[in-house]
Structures are given as C-alpha cells and as structure tokens.
Amino acid sequence: MADPYQNNVYHQGGGDPYGTYGEGGDQEGYGYQGESYPQEEDAASDATEGHDDEDQMYEGEYQGIPHPDEVKAAQRAARAKARQAQAGATELDELAEQYEDIMEDCGHGRFQWTLFIVLGLALMADGVECFVVGFVLPSAEKDMCLSNGEKGMLGLIVFLGMMVGAFIWGGMADKLGRRKCLIWALTINCVFTFLSSFAQGYGFFLFFRLISGIGIGGSVPIVYSYFSEFLQMDKRGEHLSWLCMFWMVGGIYASFTAWGIIPHYGWGFSMGTEFQFHSWRVFVLVCALPAITSLVGLMFMPESPRFLLENAKHDEAWMILKNVHDTNWRAKGQPEKVFQVTHIKAPKTQEDEFIEIQSATGTAIQRWAVRTLTLCKLVLKNVASLLGPELRLSTLFMAIIWFTMAFSYYGLGVWFPDMIKYLQQEEYESKVKVFHRERVEHFHFNFSLENQIHREGEYINDKFINIQMKSVKFEDSLFEDCYFEDIESTETMFENCTIRSTVFYNTDLYEERFIDCRLENTTFLHNKKGCHLDIDEENDVLIYLVSFLGSLAVLPGNIISALFMEKIGRVKIIGLSMLISAGCTFFLFLSFSQAAIIAWQCLFCGVSVAAWNGIEVITVELYPASKRATAFGVLNALCKLAAILGTSIFASFVGVTKVVPILLSCTALVCGGLVALKLPETQEKILQ
C-alpha cells in the first residue's frame, strides 16, 4: 500500500516567492482532500483500510439534519465564492481563508484545552501581579520604614513596568514569535519576583518590582494573540472569554494566599538585624508559582503556526498543524483521520530577507547589533502602521475604549477599598476616648493604650514599660521624671508637651514623634531600629475579603459573556456592559456604609468583566496577524497608563469627596460605551 503521507512533502520552487506543500500549485486555495472531495487512493490511511464508509450512516440523516462535514463544506464554498467576488483579494487574504479551513479540519480538542491551561496560568500570573503590592504594602511599609510618597511610588511602579512590558513584548512577539517572547517575559518575571522577595532596601525592592512588571506585562498581549491563532472562527469568541476567567482566578489566588500567609508573622526568619525575611516575603515568593507553572508548560507547546506562515517558515507550520490535528482526533477516538493538507501558500516578506542578509556578515557583536537595530526599526514601523489609512479609525476607537474602561476600572478598584478603610477609620475615631487634665503620679502603666487623646495632663514619676501604644496622642501635657521602656507604637504623637528628666529606653518613640515639644534633660537610649509590624492592623481581614469578593463577583459576568459572545456579538456586549457599569457607579451616590460600597463593587466588577472580555476579543480580531500582538501591546500599555492616572486621581479624593470620582468614572464609561457601538462587528470575521 502507498505511503499515506507521500503527498505531504514540502516543495518550494526557486523562483516562486511563496512556499507550497505538495503538488497542485495550480489549484485555487490550498490542496484539501476531505470527505466531501474526491480522495486519491494513496491518500488513504492504513487505519481505515478495508473500511466501507457506506456501512455507517449519519444518525441525523433520517431527520433531515445535514452532516457537519456538509455544513463545513458549504461554508467553505461560500467563503471561496466571496473571495472570488473580491477583485482586490491579496495573498494574505487567501492565507487567512486557507488557515481557517485548516483549523476547522484540526477541530477543537485536547490540544486547545492543554494550551488553554498553560496560557491561562500566564494570564493568572498577570492578575496576581496586580494584587501583590496592595497586599504586602501594610507590612512592607513598616518593614522598610516607607514614607507616604514611597508607598505611592511602590503602588504605581508595577503598572509602570507592565505598561513598558506590554509595549515591548507585544511588538517583539510579532517579529520573534509568540511562544519565544512569552517564555522570555515569564522568565524575567519569575527571576525578579524571586529577587524582590529577598531585597532588604526600598531601592532594590522598587527596582526588582519594576523589572518584574516589565516581564509580566507581556503576558496579556501575547497570550490572547497566541491562543486566538489556534481557534476556529465559531469557537474564538467563547473560548477567549473563558480564558479571561484566569485573571479572576489570579485575584482569588492572591487573596487566599495573602490571607493564609501574611498574618503568620513567625513564618519568616532573620539573620541579625540586617536581613529580615518576614511572612509577606514568603507571600511574594508564592505569587510566582503561576508564572513558573506556565513557563514549564510552555516548554512543551509549539509556536503559533500562523506566525510561522506569516514569516515563511512553512515546514515548521505544517508539522505543528499536523500535530494539532492528530492530537485532537486521537483524543476523540478517531486516530484514523489523516491530516490531508497538501498545499499552503505563505508570503516571504522583505523584512525577513533583510535580517537574513545582515546575519550572514560581520562579527558576532556586529550581527547582534544589526539584528537588534533592525528589530527595533521593524517594531516601530509596525507600531506606526497602526495609524495607517486602513487601521487608523479602528485604532483610535479602540484606544478610547481601552483608556476609558481602564481609567474607571482601576481607579474605582483603588477607590473602593480606600473608601472602606476611610469609613472604618471614621468609625474608629468616633470611639476615641478623651482624657482632660488628668494627673497621674507614681503609676506603672503595664497595659496597652489605644485610640486615646490626653489633653493638659500631668504625669509625674510614672513608668511605661513593655506596652503598645496605638493611635495615642498627648497634647499640652507634662511628663516629669518618667521612664519609657520597650514601647511599640503606631500613630502615636506628643504635641506641644513639656518633657523633663525622662528616659526613653528601647522604644520606637523617636524625636520626630515630638512636635513642638520642650525636651529638658531627656535621654533616648538604644532606640529600636527600623520599623516594626503592627500585627493587629496587618490581620485586618477586610483587606483580603474585599479583594476576594471583587474577584469572585467576576465569575457570573465571565460565564454570561462567554456563553453569549457568539450570540449577541462583541460590539453589543462591550457597549451595553460599559453603559450598565456607568449606571452602577452613579448609584454610589446612595452608598453611605461599608456594606453598600462592597455590594456596588461586586456588581460593578461583575458587569465590567463582560466589557473587558469583549474588548480583548475584538482587539484580537480587528488586526491582522502581522500586527496583532503589536496592537494589543500598544493598547494594553495605554490601559496601564490609564490605570496609573485613575488610581492616582481617585485615591486623592478619598475622604474629601466622592462626587468627583463617581462623575469621572461614569462619564468615562458612557463615552467609551458609545464609541464601542461604532466599532465594526467581527463576530463572523476570519482571523486576518
């Protein structure tokens, strides 16, 4: 019997700039030998030898239901007819049609689900990265003695790194490959996350988190571009929406691990006073696990065949497509199905030829310099092409939608928990105990002081030993012949006080805690070094609970958008979700309690995720393969810029007014939703 794969040999003519497989270069499209076409004898599989197709009858035939293969053949014929009607159809358009037909033959099965898990973990790592700093900040600010300005910079540095990373990795993925760039990006993230957990100084910690953010910034643009190129048209919207769910899983994972690890202060270790490894650093290490797992999985995944075909690597693309086909059909119990593609056209671009010419000359350093310079030029050229005549309007609309959505989503994401903390602080301060003109002599304070204000008091020959002071303020008071030892304090101040002949031994009551005070014959001995963790404040469950509920609320919206993405369409889902989200923010005017704010946060997150799903799906579908990751990277970088602006602006109004944040977010969402309705629908569009 003839070899069933003898027609799949790769051939490329010397003068033909397009690579083809097999014979039949005069055929239109690609050489497809399916069940609805005449099949050559030597194309039969050994597994099907002696099998009579007529012995089996499709069970829906009696009911007049067409066979799926017949439906598929009719769809292909319609696409071929439409292509013939287009006088200006290019080779890339033909490749898009061919590739869609091939993916339909490969089916959706085990390979796509395996890739779904691997890429989902990379997306999960991106979600975790957005939550890490927020969870560790209450501990890190005391461990590193951070000022308010340093805390703010630490909160923004991750978004800054992700913004740079999205732009760089998105552009490189279109030139070097999706899989290769994603592996590099995740590797950088893992390495610098590990280093940041051991960094003792603020400067090093800030730098390592920046580089870690640059690494993980590439995950979103690459993951969606990569996965979409293994999906057929009727599966694309739904399964890309399911993929979005991993970002929610990342938030839940971060919330649970933070809740389970950070409060256990004793889980760390120390080496003298110079090196401290507290529990929050253990949490930072654990947050790298999704990225590490995804990195390991990527080692067993292939490059995108669509990228390879765009870059004239025909043999590699053919082998990958054959492997996808065989993997899926073996898993479905039909190993006899043979991958019967024999002819694929794919252009070889001038950009690739330029790189090949330069790589053959000069020393290794010169070749590296030329390649790097060429790569930068090609990436920037690709970015500039997004504003070309064909893509200018789509890019402008998408930029507005990404910016307005991110500005509101991330801004409110900071405003919700900060507002809850502010309400908690108001409630806490309302319970403050005020002591006026008290006189205490020869007394031993061996109990903690909390949430108290002492005005015009007199403390003569008193001892304050081994106690904690939290939110304690002494105003216009006198301390004479007193002794303070082993004091740990939080938000404790002495204002306009007179302190005479008093000793402070092994305390954290530094001189800056004494505002406009007169210190007479006062001694500070062996002050505590560094800042010390406030265990009660660190164990505030509400910090983790709010984040967990916000992430969990995404689940219903994710499921609904995934199920209806192909039925309703991307444009309607984006527009309606953004407008409904605007309505949710408007009702925040009626929220005056913590419970109400948490409820509206959950509703907002649940609705807005549908808009995010639609935005990410339509971004993939609007741009051709050669610009897909670049466009996604640029738009995602704009998203992170909006996040930086949103978090900074919204946080500044906490405790001042809630009118401005609500009006800003509501206006942005309405504008973005109305612009979204002007986008072209890509529901039945072949991936270009």
Side-chain angles (χ1 to χ4, degrees):
M1 185 176 182
D3 185 357
Y5 300 110
Q6 66 180 4
N7 288 337
N8 294 336
V9 180
Y10 171 62
H11 300 281
Q12 182 172 352
D16 184 8
Y18 298 98
T20 62
Y21 286 94
E23 302 173 355
D26 56 338
Q27 299 174 8
E28 182 178 348
Y30 70 98
Y32 170 77
Q33 298 174 340
E35 295 178 356
S36 58
Y37 296 91
Q39 182 172 341
E40 297 177 4
E41 292 180 1
D42 58 356
S45 169
D46 291 335
T48 62
E49 186 174 10
H51 178 75
D52 188 357
D53 290 337
E54 295 180 357
D55 292 342
Q56 290 187 351
M57 185 170 292
Y58 172 54
E59 62 181 357
E61 183 175 346
Y62 294 107
Q63 304 172 8
I65 301 175
H67 194 281
D69 289 341
E70 295 177 5
V71 175
K72 192 184 301 181
Q75 291 173 343
R76 290 176 177 174
R79 288 200 295 263
K81 186 176 181 180
R83 187 172 68 243
Q84 290 175 354
Q86 294 177 354
T90 65
E91 294 290 343
L92 289 176
D93 293 331
E94 292 183 11
L95 172 60
E97 295 278 355
Q98 296 168 10
Y99 194 79
E100 178 62 30
D101 292 345
I102 294 172
M103 292 314 303
E104 287 180 356
D105 290 339
C106 292
H108 190 93
R110 175 178 292 176
F111 178 87
Q112 279 84 0
W113 285 114
T114 304
L115 185 64
F116 174 81
I117 299 297
V118 173
L119 297 182
L121 288 168
L123 198 60
M124 177 179 169
D126 179 89
V128 170
E129 190 78 11
C130 294
F131 288 92
V132 169
V133 172
F135 286 141
V136 305
L137 202 54
S139 302
E141 67 173 306
K142 295 179 175 62
D143 211 8
M144 298 182 181
C145 302
L146 303 182
S147 64
N148 289 332
E150 289 173 333
K151 287 190 294 182
M153 177 57 69
L154 190 57
L156 296 178
I157 199 69
V158 173
F159 286 120
L160 180 63
M162 295 172 80
M163 179 180 71
V164 175
F167 182 85
I168 293 175
W169 294 115
M172 291 176 61
D174 277 334
K175 298 302 174 185
L176 300 179
R178 283 81 160 104
R179 174 181 176 271
K180 181 187 295 185
C181 287
L182 187 56
I183 288 175
W184 288 353
L186 291 177
T187 300
I188 291 173
N189 173 253
C190 293
V191 170
F192 283 91
T193 295
F194 177 81
L195 293 175
S196 70
S197 68
F198 288 93
Q200 298 298 300
Y202 170 75
F204 279 112
F205 185 75
L206 190 72
F207 174 75
F208 291 148
R209 294 312 302 179
L210 172 66
I211 305 301
S212 172
I214 291 176
I216 201 62
S219 64
V220 172
I222 298 177
V223 161
Y224 284 101
S225 302
Y226 190 9
F227 191 51
S228 68
E229 292 170 353
F230 283 97
L231 298 173
Q232 59 199 67
M233 182 173 61
D234 59 344
K235 300 284 186 181
R236 197 166 56 230
E238 178 184 350
H239 288 274
L240 286 175
S241 298
W242 290 126
L243 188 66
C244 297
M245 194 176 294
F246 277 92
W247 202 92
M248 172 206 70
V249 175
I252 294 176
Y253 174 82
S255 303
F256 263 116
T257 52
W259 195 351
I261 295 175
I262 294 179
H264 295 82
Y265 182 70
W267 282 17
F269 63 91
S270 61
M271 298 174 62
T273 59
E274 300 299 325
F275 185 86
Q276 303 288 332
F277 196 87
H278 295 140
S279 56
W280 68 267
R281 298 180 182 274
V282 178
F283 167 69
V284 173
L285 278 179
V286 172
C287 285
L289 291 180
I292 294 172
T293 309
S294 178
L295 190 59
V296 173
L298 280 170
M299 299 301 175
F300 302 94
M301 293 291 107
E303 181 56 84
S304 165
R306 183 59 188 271
F307 166 80
L308 296 174
L309 289 172
E310 291 281 340
N311 289 271
K313 298 180 180 179
H314 317 90
D315 49 350
E316 295 178 47
W318 186 88
M319 290 300 297
I320 291 170
L321 289 169
K322 181 181 182 302
N323 179 59
V324 173
H325 176 279
D326 294 347
T327 300
N328 287 342
W329 288 109
R330 278 198 303 267
K332 294 177 181 179
Q334 301 183 53
E336 69 277 3
K337 271 190 172 288
V338 178
F339 185 61
Q340 296 170 335
V341 175
T342 60
H343 178 88
I344 303 178
K345 276 193 172 185
K348 184 176 184 180
T349 64
Q350 293 179 353
E351 295 168 354
D352 298 314
E353 292 171 352
F354 178 75
I355 294 176
E356 290 170 5
I357 292 171
Q358 297 297 336
S359 65
T361 59
T363 64
I365 296 178
Q366 289 175 330
R367 290 197 300 270
W368 177 84
V370 170
R371 283 180 178 274
T372 303
L373 182 61
T374 304
L375 178 62
C376 292
K377 289 180 179 178
L378 294 178
V379 169
L380 293 177
K381 181 180 177 182
N382 224 17
V383 172
S385 69
L386 300 178
L387 298 176
E390 296 181 356
L391 298 174
R392 184 184 300 129
L393 195 59
S394 296
T395 302
L396 176 62
F397 283 174
M398 291 306 302
I400 294 173
I401 295 167
W402 273 90
F403 186 90
T404 54
M405 188 67 204
F407 179 80
S408 301
Y409 183 83
Y410 287 102
L412 287 176
V414 169
W415 186 82
F416 280 127
D418 281 358
M419 194 64 189
I420 291 171
K421 289 180 184 178
Y422 175 75
L423 293 176
Q424 282 184 309
Q425 185 65 25
E426 275 193 333
E427 183 181 355
Y428 181 77
E429 291 176 356
S430 67
K431 300 177 181 178
V432 65
K433 297 178 181 179
V434 180
F435 299 87
H436 191 68
R437 292 184 178 180
E438 62 177 352
R439 180 181 178 88
V440 182
E441 296 185 50
H442 303 284
F443 187 78
H444 183 184
F445 288 87
N446 57 1
F447 50 86
S448 295
L449 306 178
E450 181 178 355
N451 199 20
Q452 298 176 2
I453 297 177
H454 299 262
R455 294 184 179 134
E456 301 180 15
E458 294 182 3
Y459 305 91
I460 311 298
N461 202 13
D462 295 325
K463 293 182 178 180
F464 301 79
I465 299 178
N466 194 24
I467 64 173
Q468 291 184 349
M469 294 182 176
K470 181 178 180 181
S471 299
V472 179
K473 189 175 183 180
F474 294 94
E475 298 177 353
D476 303 309
S477 298
L478 170 67
F479 292 85
E480 188 169 351
D481 294 322
C482 293
Y483 182 75
F484 292 80
E485 182 179 351
D486 292 330
I487 306 296
E488 290 186 2
S489 63
T490 303
E491 298 178 1
T492 296
M493 307 295 293
F494 296 79
E495 188 173 319
N496 198 28
C497 295
T498 300
I499 302 175
R500 298 175 186 156
S501 304
T502 296
V503 176
F504 294 87
Y505 181 85
N506 192 31
T507 73
D508 58 5
L509 298 173
Y510 309 114
E511 293 190 22
E512 56 266 23
R513 299 284 188 94
F514 300 88
I515 302 173
D516 296 329
C517 293
R518 293 178 296 279
L519 304 179
E520 302 174 4
N521 195 25
T522 299
T523 306
F524 294 87
L525 298 174
H526 303 288
N527 281 348
K528 293 180 182 291
K529 294 182 179 180
C531 301
H532 304 278
L533 297 176
D534 183 349
I535 306 302
D536 292 335
E537 183 176 340
E538 195 179 34
N539 283 347
D540 189 0
V541 175
L542 194 61
I543 297 175
Y544 311 118
L545 181 61
V546 170
S547 175
F548 170 75
L549 291 177
S551 299
L552 191 62
V554 170
L555 181 61
N558 223 320
I559 294 175
I560 293 172
S561 64
L563 294 177
F564 289 93
M565 187 67 70
E566 298 295 347
K567 296 179 176 64
I568 298 177
R570 290 80 161 121
V571 172
K572 290 181 180 178
I573 282 184
I574 298 172
L576 292 176
S577 298
M578 293 187 74
L579 293 176
I580 295 173
S581 298
C584 293
T585 61
F586 186 79
F587 279 103
L588 286 171
F589 280 117
L590 306 177
S591 303
F592 301 99
S593 65
Q594 298 178 38
I597 291 178
I598 292 174
W600 283 113
Q601 177 197 17
C602 292
L603 184 59
F604 174 79
C605 292
V607 175
S608 61
V609 71
W612 277 122
N613 289 359
I615 290 170
E616 285 153 350
V617 171
I618 204 169
T619 302
V620 165
E621 296 174 336
L622 276 176
Y623 295 93
S626 60
K627 300 176 176 61
R628 184 169 297 124
T630 300
F632 214 123
V634 170
L635 293 171
N636 197 250
L638 185 64
C639 164
K640 296 304 185 287
L641 175 62
I644 293 173
L645 295 175
T647 54
S648 302
I649 293 173
F650 281 49
S652 64
F653 287 100
V654 173
V656 179
T657 178
K658 63 181 180 180
V659 174
V660 175
I662 292 173
L663 289 180
L664 283 175
S665 60
C666 189
T667 303
L669 288 169
V670 169
C671 292
L674 294 177
V675 171
L677 296 176
K678 298 292 185 180
L679 287 172
E681 182 56 71
T682 58
Q683 184 176 355
E684 297 182 357
K685 181 182 178 182
I686 290 177
L687 210 59
Q688 296 298 310

